[in-house]
mmCIF file of all heavy atoms in Angstrom:
data_model
loop_
_atom_site.group_PDB
_atom_site.id
_atom_site.type_symbol
_atom_site.label_atom_id
_atom_site.label_comp_id
_atom_site.label_asym_id
_atom_site.label_seq_id
_atom_site.Cartn_x
_atom_site.Cartn_y
_atom_site.Cartn_z
ATOM 1 N N LEU A 1 10.911 -2.646 2.308
ATOM 2 C CA LEU A 1 10.632 -1.527 1.418
ATOM 3 C C LEU A 1 10.453 -2.095 0.013
ATOM 4 O O LEU A 1 11.319 -2.798 -0.502
ATOM 5 C CB LEU A 1 11.778 -0.518 1.479
ATOM 6 C CG LEU A 1 11.550 0.820 0.766
ATOM 7 C CD1 LEU A 1 12.279 1.933 1.489
ATOM 8 C CD2 LEU A 1 12.036 0.747 -0.669
ATOM 9 N N SER A 2 9.321 -1.791 -0.612
ATOM 10 C CA SER A 2 8.998 -2.380 -1.921
ATOM 11 C C SER A 2 8.037 -1.461 -2.657
ATOM 12 O O SER A 2 7.555 -0.468 -2.116
ATOM 13 C CB SER A 2 8.361 -3.766 -1.744
ATOM 14 O OG SER A 2 7.135 -3.653 -1.030
ATOM 15 N N ASP A 3 7.763 -1.805 -3.908
ATOM 16 C CA ASP A 3 6.824 -1.001 -4.696
ATOM 17 C C ASP A 3 5.665 -1.822 -5.247
ATOM 18 O O ASP A 3 4.839 -1.304 -5.987
ATOM 19 C CB ASP A 3 7.551 -0.294 -5.848
ATOM 20 C CG ASP A 3 8.216 -1.265 -6.814
ATOM 21 O OD1 ASP A 3 8.309 -2.476 -6.488
ATOM 22 O OD2 ASP A 3 8.657 -0.833 -7.889
ATOM 23 N N ASN A 4 5.596 -3.113 -4.876
ATOM 24 C CA ASN A 4 4.542 -3.932 -5.479
ATOM 25 C C ASN A 4 4.206 -5.123 -4.589
ATOM 26 O O ASN A 4 3.976 -6.211 -5.074
ATOM 27 C CB ASN A 4 4.988 -4.421 -6.860
ATOM 28 C CG ASN A 4 3.823 -4.896 -7.713
ATOM 29 O OD1 ASN A 4 2.671 -4.658 -7.390
ATOM 30 N ND2 ASN A 4 4.123 -5.576 -8.795
ATOM 31 N N LEU A 5 4.195 -4.901 -3.269
ATOM 32 C CA LEU A 5 3.894 -5.982 -2.343
ATOM 33 C C LEU A 5 2.604 -5.722 -1.583
ATOM 34 O O LEU A 5 1.672 -6.525 -1.623
ATOM 35 C CB LEU A 5 5.045 -6.182 -1.357
ATOM 36 C CG LEU A 5 4.821 -7.233 -0.260
ATOM 37 C CD1 LEU A 5 4.649 -8.617 -0.872
ATOM 38 C CD2 LEU A 5 5.972 -7.226 0.740
ATOM 39 N N PHE A 6 2.539 -4.595 -0.893
ATOM 40 C CA PHE A 6 1.371 -4.286 -0.056
ATOM 41 C C PHE A 6 0.217 -3.714 -0.865
ATOM 42 O O PHE A 6 -0.918 -3.688 -0.407
ATOM 43 C CB PHE A 6 1.775 -3.321 1.057
ATOM 44 C CG PHE A 6 2.837 -3.885 1.957
ATOM 45 C CD1 PHE A 6 4.118 -3.367 1.951
ATOM 46 C CD2 PHE A 6 2.554 -4.951 2.799
ATOM 47 C CE1 PHE A 6 5.103 -3.882 2.778
ATOM 48 C CE2 PHE A 6 3.532 -5.483 3.625
ATOM 49 C CZ PHE A 6 4.813 -4.944 3.618
ATOM 50 N N ASP A 7 0.492 -3.190 -2.054
ATOM 51 C CA ASP A 7 -0.529 -2.865 -3.051
ATOM 52 C C ASP A 7 0.170 -2.863 -4.400
ATOM 53 O O ASP A 7 1.359 -3.167 -4.494
ATOM 54 C CB ASP A 7 -1.250 -1.539 -2.758
ATOM 55 C CG ASP A 7 -0.293 -0.362 -2.659
ATOM 56 O OD1 ASP A 7 0.714 -0.344 -3.398
ATOM 57 O OD2 ASP A 7 -0.553 0.542 -1.861
ATOM 58 N N THR A 8 -0.551 -2.548 -5.467
ATOM 59 C CA THR A 8 0.019 -2.677 -6.818
ATOM 60 C C THR A 8 -0.008 -1.356 -7.578
ATOM 61 O O THR A 8 -0.153 -1.332 -8.802
ATOM 62 C CB THR A 8 -0.751 -3.742 -7.619
ATOM 63 O OG1 THR A 8 -2.152 -3.409 -7.638
ATOM 64 C CG2 THR A 8 -0.588 -5.121 -6.992
ATOM 65 N N ASP A 9 0.154 -0.228 -6.865
ATOM 66 C CA ASP A 9 0.090 1.073 -7.531
ATOM 67 C C ASP A 9 1.466 1.653 -7.857
ATOM 68 O O ASP A 9 1.585 2.788 -8.311
ATOM 69 C CB ASP A 9 -0.692 2.071 -6.668
ATOM 70 C CG ASP A 9 -0.060 2.261 -5.290
ATOM 71 O OD1 ASP A 9 1.054 1.731 -5.044
ATOM 72 O OD2 ASP A 9 -0.676 2.937 -4.448
ATOM 73 N N ASN A 10 2.534 0.872 -7.603
ATOM 74 C CA ASN A 10 3.919 1.275 -7.880
ATOM 75 C C ASN A 10 4.451 2.370 -6.954
ATOM 76 O O ASN A 10 5.564 2.865 -7.164
ATOM 77 C CB ASN A 10 4.113 1.705 -9.339
ATOM 78 C CG ASN A 10 3.971 0.538 -10.302
ATOM 79 O OD1 ASN A 10 4.296 -0.595 -9.950
ATOM 80 N ND2 ASN A 10 3.488 0.808 -11.497
ATOM 81 N N LEU A 11 3.668 2.774 -5.953
ATOM 82 C CA LEU A 11 4.216 3.660 -4.932
ATOM 83 C C LEU A 11 5.103 2.841 -3.993
ATOM 84 O O LEU A 11 4.908 1.637 -3.841
ATOM 85 C CB LEU A 11 3.093 4.328 -4.138
ATOM 86 C CG LEU A 11 2.215 5.343 -4.864
ATOM 87 C CD1 LEU A 11 1.089 5.809 -3.942
ATOM 88 C CD2 LEU A 11 3.040 6.531 -5.347
ATOM 89 N N ILE A 12 6.066 3.506 -3.377
ATOM 90 C CA ILE A 12 6.916 2.827 -2.412
ATOM 91 C C ILE A 12 6.137 2.597 -1.128
ATOM 92 O O ILE A 12 5.480 3.496 -0.619
ATOM 93 C CB ILE A 12 8.172 3.668 -2.103
ATOM 94 C CG1 ILE A 12 8.946 3.982 -3.386
ATOM 95 C CG2 ILE A 12 9.061 2.956 -1.086
ATOM 96 C CD1 ILE A 12 9.510 2.786 -4.083
ATOM 97 N N GLU A 13 6.173 1.366 -0.608
ATOM 98 C CA GLU A 13 5.567 1.052 0.684
ATOM 99 C C GLU A 13 6.618 0.425 1.581
ATOM 100 O O GLU A 13 7.607 -0.115 1.108
ATOM 101 C CB GLU A 13 4.390 0.077 0.530
ATOM 102 C CG GLU A 13 3.235 0.596 -0.294
ATOM 103 C CD GLU A 13 3.307 0.138 -1.736
ATOM 104 O OE1 GLU A 13 3.863 -0.948 -1.992
ATOM 105 O OE2 GLU A 13 2.821 0.876 -2.604
ATOM 106 N N PHE A 14 6.376 0.473 2.877
ATOM 107 C CA PHE A 14 7.377 -0.034 3.809
ATOM 108 C C PHE A 14 6.749 -0.276 5.172
ATOM 109 O O PHE A 14 5.699 0.297 5.503
ATOM 110 C CB PHE A 14 8.535 0.966 3.951
ATOM 111 C CG PHE A 14 8.098 2.376 4.223
ATOM 112 C CD1 PHE A 14 7.905 2.834 5.527
ATOM 113 C CD2 PHE A 14 7.839 3.252 3.174
ATOM 114 C CE1 PHE A 14 7.487 4.127 5.771
ATOM 115 C CE2 PHE A 14 7.417 4.558 3.410
ATOM 116 C CZ PHE A 14 7.243 4.992 4.716
ATOM 117 N N ILE A 15 7.385 -1.130 5.957
ATOM 118 C CA ILE A 15 7.013 -1.336 7.352
ATOM 119 C C ILE A 15 7.939 -0.473 8.201
ATOM 120 O O ILE A 15 9.164 -0.579 8.107
ATOM 121 C CB ILE A 15 7.140 -2.807 7.773
ATOM 122 C CG1 ILE A 15 6.188 -3.690 6.942
ATOM 123 C CG2 ILE A 15 6.829 -2.977 9.259
ATOM 124 C CD1 ILE A 15 6.304 -5.175 7.256
ATOM 125 N N LEU A 16 7.347 0.383 9.016
ATOM 126 C CA LEU A 16 8.105 1.274 9.888
ATOM 127 C C LEU A 16 7.939 0.794 11.325
ATOM 128 O O LEU A 16 6.824 0.662 11.822
ATOM 129 C CB LEU A 16 7.594 2.707 9.749
ATOM 130 C CG LEU A 16 8.330 3.802 10.523
ATOM 131 C CD1 LEU A 16 9.784 3.899 10.063
ATOM 132 C CD2 LEU A 16 7.637 5.148 10.331
ATOM 133 N N ILE A 17 9.050 0.496 11.969
ATOM 134 C CA ILE A 17 9.027 -0.049 13.323
ATOM 135 C C ILE A 17 9.380 1.041 14.331
ATOM 136 O O ILE A 17 10.369 1.756 14.148
ATOM 137 C CB ILE A 17 9.994 -1.235 13.468
ATOM 138 C CG1 ILE A 17 9.510 -2.420 12.638
ATOM 139 C CG2 ILE A 17 10.090 -1.678 14.923
ATOM 140 C CD1 ILE A 17 9.972 -2.435 11.228
ATOM 141 N N CYS A 18 8.547 1.177 15.357
ATOM 142 C CA CYS A 18 8.782 2.152 16.431
ATOM 143 C C CYS A 18 9.206 1.426 17.699
ATOM 144 O O CYS A 18 9.034 0.221 17.837
ATOM 145 C CB CYS A 18 7.511 2.959 16.708
ATOM 146 S SG CYS A 18 6.960 3.974 15.335
ATOM 147 N N HIS A 19 9.734 2.200 18.640
ATOM 148 C CA HIS A 19 10.107 1.636 19.937
ATOM 149 C C HIS A 19 9.748 2.624 21.031
ATOM 150 O O HIS A 19 10.010 3.823 20.911
ATOM 151 C CB HIS A 19 11.609 1.338 19.988
ATOM 152 C CG HIS A 19 12.063 0.852 21.334
ATOM 153 N ND1 HIS A 19 11.702 -0.378 21.830
ATOM 154 C CD2 HIS A 19 12.839 1.445 22.287
ATOM 155 C CE1 HIS A 19 12.236 -0.529 23.031
ATOM 156 N NE2 HIS A 19 12.924 0.558 23.336
ATOM 157 N N ASN A 20 9.138 2.104 22.072
ATOM 158 C CA ASN A 20 8.778 2.916 23.224
ATOM 159 C C ASN A 20 9.907 2.841 24.255
ATOM 160 O O ASN A 20 10.300 1.748 24.685
ATOM 161 C CB ASN A 20 7.468 2.406 23.844
ATOM 162 C CG ASN A 20 6.920 3.364 24.890
ATOM 163 O OD1 ASN A 20 7.575 4.344 25.240
ATOM 164 N ND2 ASN A 20 5.725 3.079 25.386
ATOM 165 N N ASN A 21 10.426 3.988 24.631
ATOM 166 C CA ASN A 21 11.551 4.025 25.563
ATOM 167 C C ASN A 21 11.137 3.852 27.023
ATOM 168 O O ASN A 21 11.987 3.877 27.910
ATOM 169 C CB ASN A 21 12.312 5.342 25.409
ATOM 170 C CG ASN A 21 12.901 5.488 24.024
ATOM 171 O OD1 ASN A 21 13.524 4.565 23.518
ATOM 172 N ND2 ASN A 21 12.694 6.637 23.397
ATOM 173 N N ALA A 22 9.851 3.716 27.258
ATOM 174 C CA ALA A 22 9.346 3.535 28.621
ATOM 175 C C ALA A 22 8.487 2.273 28.655
ATOM 176 O O ALA A 22 8.078 1.757 27.612
ATOM 177 C CB ALA A 22 8.521 4.750 29.045
ATOM 178 N N PRO A 23 8.203 1.732 29.827
ATOM 179 C CA PRO A 23 7.345 0.542 29.906
ATOM 180 C C PRO A 23 6.036 0.774 29.166
ATOM 181 O O PRO A 23 5.501 1.872 29.217
ATOM 182 C CB PRO A 23 7.131 0.356 31.418
ATOM 183 C CG PRO A 23 8.324 1.011 32.030
ATOM 184 C CD PRO A 23 8.645 2.178 31.143
ATOM 185 N N PRO A 24 5.515 -0.203 28.401
ATOM 186 C CA PRO A 24 5.952 -1.602 28.366
ATOM 187 C C PRO A 24 7.023 -1.896 27.308
ATOM 188 O O PRO A 24 7.179 -3.067 26.921
ATOM 189 C CB PRO A 24 4.656 -2.329 28.006
ATOM 190 C CG PRO A 24 3.940 -1.346 27.117
ATOM 191 C CD PRO A 24 4.273 0.010 27.656
ATOM 192 N N TYR A 25 7.739 -0.899 26.839
ATOM 193 C CA TYR A 25 8.821 -1.096 25.871
ATOM 194 C C TYR A 25 8.346 -1.859 24.631
ATOM 195 O O TYR A 25 8.975 -2.796 24.158
ATOM 196 C CB TYR A 25 10.006 -1.831 26.510
ATOM 197 C CG TYR A 25 10.562 -1.131 27.718
ATOM 198 C CD1 TYR A 25 10.354 -1.654 28.989
ATOM 199 C CD2 TYR A 25 11.276 0.058 27.587
ATOM 200 C CE1 TYR A 25 10.854 -1.000 30.117
ATOM 201 C CE2 TYR A 25 11.786 0.717 28.715
ATOM 202 C CZ TYR A 25 11.579 0.185 29.970
ATOM 203 O OH TYR A 25 12.077 0.813 31.073
ATOM 204 N N ASP A 26 7.195 -1.463 24.100
ATOM 205 C CA ASP A 26 6.608 -2.158 22.966
ATOM 206 C C ASP A 26 7.193 -1.633 21.649
ATOM 207 O O ASP A 26 7.835 -0.590 21.604
ATOM 208 C CB ASP A 26 5.087 -2.035 22.976
ATOM 209 C CG ASP A 26 4.638 -0.583 23.068
ATOM 210 O OD1 ASP A 26 5.318 0.206 23.727
ATOM 211 O OD2 ASP A 26 3.614 -0.237 22.464
ATOM 212 N N ASN A 27 6.950 -2.398 20.592
ATOM 213 C CA ASN A 27 7.487 -2.073 19.269
ATOM 214 C C ASN A 27 6.395 -2.163 18.203
ATOM 215 O O ASN A 27 6.338 -3.124 17.437
ATOM 216 C CB ASN A 27 8.627 -3.031 18.902
ATOM 217 C CG ASN A 27 9.792 -2.930 19.845
ATOM 218 O OD1 ASN A 27 10.622 -2.059 19.734
ATOM 219 N ND2 ASN A 27 9.828 -3.848 20.806
ATOM 220 N N PRO A 28 5.501 -1.204 18.136
ATOM 221 C CA PRO A 28 4.441 -1.255 17.123
ATOM 222 C C PRO A 28 4.999 -1.127 15.708
ATOM 223 O O PRO A 28 5.987 -0.425 15.473
ATOM 224 C CB PRO A 28 3.558 -0.054 17.469
ATOM 225 C CG PRO A 28 4.432 0.866 18.249
ATOM 226 C CD PRO A 28 5.383 -0.004 18.996
ATOM 227 N N ASN A 29 4.386 -1.844 14.763
ATOM 228 C CA ASN A 29 4.743 -1.802 13.347
ATOM 229 C C ASN A 29 3.641 -1.099 12.572
ATOM 230 O O ASN A 29 2.454 -1.318 12.845
ATOM 231 C CB ASN A 29 4.886 -3.215 12.778
ATOM 232 C CG ASN A 29 6.058 -3.993 13.350
ATOM 233 O OD1 ASN A 29 6.597 -4.849 12.686
ATOM 234 N ND2 ASN A 29 6.450 -3.738 14.585
ATOM 235 N N LYS A 30 4.018 -0.273 11.599
ATOM 236 C CA LYS A 30 3.027 0.400 10.757
ATOM 237 C C LYS A 30 3.474 0.312 9.304
ATOM 238 O O LYS A 30 4.656 0.454 9.001
ATOM 239 C CB LYS A 30 2.862 1.856 11.178
ATOM 240 C CG LYS A 30 2.318 2.030 12.605
ATOM 241 C CD LYS A 30 2.090 3.489 12.958
ATOM 242 C CE LYS A 30 1.528 3.627 14.366
ATOM 243 N NZ LYS A 30 1.233 5.044 14.722
ATOM 244 N N ILE A 31 2.507 0.066 8.425
ATOM 245 C CA ILE A 31 2.799 -0.016 6.996
ATOM 246 C C ILE A 31 2.286 1.258 6.326
ATOM 247 O O ILE A 31 1.086 1.560 6.374
ATOM 248 C CB ILE A 31 2.143 -1.252 6.349
ATOM 249 C CG1 ILE A 31 2.607 -2.531 7.055
ATOM 250 C CG2 ILE A 31 2.474 -1.313 4.862
ATOM 251 C CD1 ILE A 31 1.946 -3.785 6.537
ATOM 252 N N TYR A 32 3.193 2.015 5.721
ATOM 253 C CA TYR A 32 2.870 3.257 5.037
ATOM 254 C C TYR A 32 3.248 3.150 3.560
ATOM 255 O O TYR A 32 4.091 2.332 3.174
ATOM 256 C CB TYR A 32 3.666 4.430 5.620
ATOM 257 C CG TYR A 32 3.267 4.870 7.006
ATOM 258 C CD1 TYR A 32 3.982 4.439 8.117
ATOM 259 C CD2 TYR A 32 2.213 5.747 7.210
ATOM 260 C CE1 TYR A 32 3.648 4.861 9.400
ATOM 261 C CE2 TYR A 32 1.870 6.181 8.482
ATOM 262 C CZ TYR A 32 2.589 5.736 9.569
ATOM 263 O OH TYR A 32 2.247 6.161 10.830
ATOM 264 N N ASN A 33 2.646 4.047 2.740
ATOM 265 C CA ASN A 33 3.203 4.251 1.416
ATOM 266 C C ASN A 33 3.935 5.588 1.402
ATOM 267 O O ASN A 33 3.918 6.336 2.391
ATOM 268 C CB ASN A 33 2.147 4.155 0.307
ATOM 269 C CG ASN A 33 1.157 5.314 0.314
ATOM 270 O OD1 ASN A 33 1.369 6.350 0.956
ATOM 271 N ND2 ASN A 33 0.050 5.154 -0.402
ATOM 272 N N GLU A 34 4.582 5.904 0.316
ATOM 273 C CA GLU A 34 5.447 7.080 0.268
ATOM 274 C C GLU A 34 4.688 8.397 0.409
ATOM 275 O O GLU A 34 5.295 9.435 0.727
ATOM 276 C CB GLU A 34 6.244 7.103 -1.034
ATOM 277 C CG GLU A 34 5.396 7.200 -2.299
ATOM 278 C CD GLU A 34 6.256 7.184 -3.544
ATOM 279 O OE1 GLU A 34 6.736 8.271 -3.926
ATOM 280 O OE2 GLU A 34 6.463 6.107 -4.122
ATOM 281 N N ASN A 35 3.370 8.381 0.213
ATOM 282 C CA ASN A 35 2.567 9.592 0.385
ATOM 283 C C ASN A 35 2.115 9.790 1.824
ATOM 284 O O ASN A 35 1.398 10.746 2.138
ATOM 285 C CB ASN A 35 1.347 9.553 -0.534
ATOM 286 C CG ASN A 35 1.729 9.630 -1.997
ATOM 287 O OD1 ASN A 35 2.793 10.157 -2.344
ATOM 288 N ND2 ASN A 35 0.873 9.114 -2.873
ATOM 289 N N GLY A 36 2.494 8.873 2.709
ATOM 290 C CA GLY A 36 2.114 8.982 4.110
ATOM 291 C C GLY A 36 0.817 8.289 4.458
ATOM 292 O O GLY A 36 0.350 8.387 5.598
ATOM 293 N N THR A 37 0.211 7.590 3.500
ATOM 294 C CA THR A 37 -1.034 6.864 3.766
ATOM 295 C C THR A 37 -0.740 5.629 4.608
ATOM 296 O O THR A 37 0.135 4.826 4.267
ATOM 297 C CB THR A 37 -1.713 6.442 2.452
ATOM 298 O OG1 THR A 37 -1.990 7.600 1.668
ATOM 299 C CG2 THR A 37 -3.011 5.692 2.730
ATOM 300 N N LEU A 38 -1.465 5.466 5.720
ATOM 301 C CA LEU A 38 -1.309 4.309 6.585
ATOM 302 C C LEU A 38 -2.128 3.150 6.016
ATOM 303 O O LEU A 38 -3.357 3.233 5.918
ATOM 304 C CB LEU A 38 -1.769 4.646 8.001
ATOM 305 C CG LEU A 38 -1.661 3.536 9.041
ATOM 306 C CD1 LEU A 38 -0.219 3.116 9.248
ATOM 307 C CD2 LEU A 38 -2.290 3.984 10.363
ATOM 308 N N LEU A 39 -1.461 2.073 5.619
ATOM 309 C CA LEU A 39 -2.143 0.925 5.021
ATOM 310 C C LEU A 39 -2.599 -0.084 6.072
ATOM 311 O O LEU A 39 -3.648 -0.703 5.935
ATOM 312 C CB LEU A 39 -1.225 0.236 4.014
ATOM 313 C CG LEU A 39 -0.662 1.124 2.895
ATOM 314 C CD1 LEU A 39 0.224 0.302 1.965
ATOM 315 C CD2 LEU A 39 -1.793 1.784 2.107
ATOM 316 N N LEU A 40 -1.790 -0.262 7.114
ATOM 317 C CA LEU A 40 -2.136 -1.195 8.177
ATOM 318 C C LEU A 40 -1.228 -0.899 9.362
ATOM 319 O O LEU A 40 -0.080 -0.487 9.183
ATOM 320 C CB LEU A 40 -1.924 -2.651 7.716
ATOM 321 C CG LEU A 40 -2.469 -3.752 8.626
ATOM 322 C CD1 LEU A 40 -3.994 -3.689 8.712
ATOM 323 C CD2 LEU A 40 -2.039 -5.131 8.107
ATOM 324 N N GLN A 41 -1.739 -1.089 10.572
ATOM 325 C CA GLN A 41 -0.910 -0.832 11.740
ATOM 326 C C GLN A 41 -1.090 -1.927 12.777
ATOM 327 O O GLN A 41 -2.091 -2.635 12.794
ATOM 328 C CB GLN A 41 -1.238 0.523 12.358
ATOM 329 C CG GLN A 41 -2.624 0.655 12.952
ATOM 330 C CD GLN A 41 -2.835 2.021 13.601
ATOM 331 O OE1 GLN A 41 -1.887 2.683 13.988
ATOM 332 N NE2 GLN A 41 -4.084 2.430 13.700
ATOM 333 N N SER A 42 -0.077 -2.067 13.600
ATOM 334 C CA SER A 42 -0.150 -2.993 14.716
ATOM 335 C C SER A 42 -0.237 -2.188 16.009
ATOM 336 O O SER A 42 -0.069 -0.972 16.004
ATOM 337 C CB SER A 42 1.091 -3.897 14.736
ATOM 338 O OG SER A 42 2.242 -3.131 15.026
ATOM 339 N N TYR A 43 -0.469 -2.879 17.094
ATOM 340 C CA TYR A 43 -0.642 -2.192 18.363
ATOM 341 C C TYR A 43 0.214 -2.865 19.442
ATOM 342 O O TYR A 43 0.314 -4.094 19.501
ATOM 343 C CB TYR A 43 -2.115 -2.220 18.795
ATOM 344 C CG TYR A 43 -3.046 -1.611 17.784
ATOM 345 C CD1 TYR A 43 -3.626 -2.395 16.797
ATOM 346 C CD2 TYR A 43 -3.321 -0.248 17.788
ATOM 347 C CE1 TYR A 43 -4.478 -1.839 15.851
ATOM 348 C CE2 TYR A 43 -4.170 0.314 16.854
ATOM 349 C CZ TYR A 43 -4.746 -0.485 15.885
ATOM 350 O OH TYR A 43 -5.587 0.064 14.945
#
């Protein structure tokens, strides 16, 4: 969680990690800012 790493607009950004409770039990990562804008996602 930071305010000047993934972009430089001083909004809070963070990596949000999910978990699937069923196979394949994957853990996708998504980078959001505090306004809900998706900056980058994994699959």
Side-chain angles (χ1 to χ4, degrees):
L1 189 148
S2 62
D3 60 349
N4 198 13
L5 176 63
F6 300 111
D7 57 35
T8 56
D9 59 7
N10 292 329
L11 292 175
I12 303 296
E13 298 96 29
F14 50 89
I15 298 177
L16 184 62
I17 293 88
C18 296
H19 176 69
N20 190 353
N21 298 312
Y25 303 108
D26 53 326
N27 298 279
N29 293 208
K30 297 183 179 183
I31 303 176
Y32 290 98
N33 69 15
E34 62 181 275
N35 293 335
T37 301
L38 180 63
L39 305 180
L40 190 65
Q41 66 177 336
S42 67
Y43 303 91

